[in-house]
Amino acid sequence: MLTLEDFNALSECAQAEAIQNGTFLADREENGLIVRLFSLGIFYGEVFHDAHTNKILGLKAFDTTSRLVPYLAHIKFNLHQ
């Protein structure tokens, strides 16, 4: 299983491939970019995507749940039974 340390040692291209092979969880908007969140088993990865140019501008990986807070506002709960 890929660890966060292993991920950080990869080239940017290999990091992007590893994130895309993860499980998509959510997306959000930040400063005009679309940020997509993926689960990679024991850590999370984010892809910062510019929809206007259709380019990936950055990647981040983390293993702390506090970094998930920006995504919580986008979760919709069905409270009707």
Side-chain angles (χ1 to χ4, degrees):
M1 177 177 286
L2 187 67
T3 67
L4 181 58
E5 292 78 20
D6 293 337
F7 176 86
N8 287 331
L10 296 173
S11 68
E12 188 172 302
C13 182
Q15 287 180 348
E17 184 177 332
I19 288 177
Q20 295 296 327
N21 288 327
T23 301
F24 174 78
L25 298 176
D27 58 14
R28 63 186 174 87
E29 187 176 333
E30 179 180 294
N31 298 325
L33 300 177
I34 297 170
V35 186
R36 293 187 174 98
L37 176 68
F38 293 82
S39 170
L40 288 101
I42 58 173
F43 65 98
Y44 301 95
E46 291 179 307
V47 177
F48 293 78
H49 180 256
D50 185 339
H52 298 292
T53 63
N54 197 28
K55 293 188 179 191
I56 293 174
L57 300 182
L59 305 165
K60 287 186 183 175
F62 58 92
D63 59 3
T64 59
T65 55
S66 63
R67 298 272 309 266
L68 299 175
V69 171
Y71 296 94
L72 296 178
H74 302 284
I75 297 174
K76 294 183 176 30
F77 295 98
N78 184 358
L79 301 178
H80 301 284
Q81 293 182 351

